[in-house]
Amino acid sequence: MIFRRQHIDREVPALNTASLPDLIFTVLFFFMIVTNMRHDEVKVKVVEPDGKELTKLVNKQMATYIYIGKLQGDEKGDYQVQVDNKLMPANAVSRYVMGKKRQLGKEDAKKMIVNFKADRKAPMKLVKEVKEQLKLADARLVHYSANEKD
């Protein structure tokens, strides 16, 4: 006796996509929470000098940004110092950087990077004063920002 299977047309059940929007929004919400969205509002105008042998800043999470330039829209005014999002006098830079290092903790404070962006026409007296303040704050990793020269 030979048994033969009868060929029955069976349909593949449809995939239930009712929970798909919930899953997509959950993943989107997760990435919004864990992503670091740090944007500095640059209040001073900085025209960076040109340079040849430049490297990109890799770890931007540990970076503090210092800008030296004239206020936006005030081209005849004096040069100002902006640290992260705050305008401050040059002699207050060391206190700010030391406070930020305390917030990071001992191990991360050693890895903290100061990214220095100065206008090409900024007075060297002001640049030197800020650099002295960084020495007082024991900021060891200072990167100077420049545009790549053709």
Side-chain angles (χ1 to χ4, degrees), residues 31-98:
F31 283 116
M32 286 174 52
I33 295 295
V34 299
T35 302
N36 185 5
M37 297 216 182
R38 178 184 168 174
H39 296 287
D40 287 338
E41 179 187 339
V42 182
K43 300 172 185 170
V44 295
K45 182 180 178 188
V46 177
V47 179
E48 297 172 355
D50 295 330
K52 287 186 180 179
E53 297 180 24
L54 305 176
T55 58
K56 289 208 177 260
L57 182 62
V58 179
N59 191 357
K60 293 183 180 183
Q61 292 175 337
M62 298 289 210
T64 298
Y65 292 89
I66 297 178
Y67 305 95
I68 297 179
K70 292 186 177 183
L71 286 176
Q72 296 282 356
D74 186 17
E75 301 302 321
K76 295 182 181 178
D78 292 333
Y79 282 88
Q80 303 287 324
V81 177
Q82 178 183 341
V83 183
D84 289 337
N85 279 328
K86 298 177 180 119
L87 289 172
M88 62 181 61
N91 59 8
V93 171
S94 64
R95 280 183 297 207
Y96 182 85
V97 172
M98 284 191 289

Side-chain angles (χ1 to χ4, degrees), residues 94-106:
S94 64
R95 280 183 297 207
Y96 182 85
V97 172
M98 284 191 289
K100 192 148 185 188
K101 285 173 77 171
R102 277 194 296 273
Q103 288 176 350
L104 290 175
K106 222 169 200 174

Side-chain angles (χ1 to χ4, degrees), residues 105-133:
K106 222 169 200 174
E107 286 301 315
D108 289 339
K110 292 177 184 176
K111 299 174 189 173
M112 186 176 116
I113 298 168
V114 176
N115 192 11
F116 198 88
K117 293 183 178 189
D119 189 82
R120 64 176 63 191
K121 294 181 181 178
M124 285 308 294
K125 180 180 178 184
L126 182 60
V127 172
K128 183 179 178 189
E129 189 176 350
V130 172
K131 286 170 56 176
E132 291 294 325
Q133 290 292 311

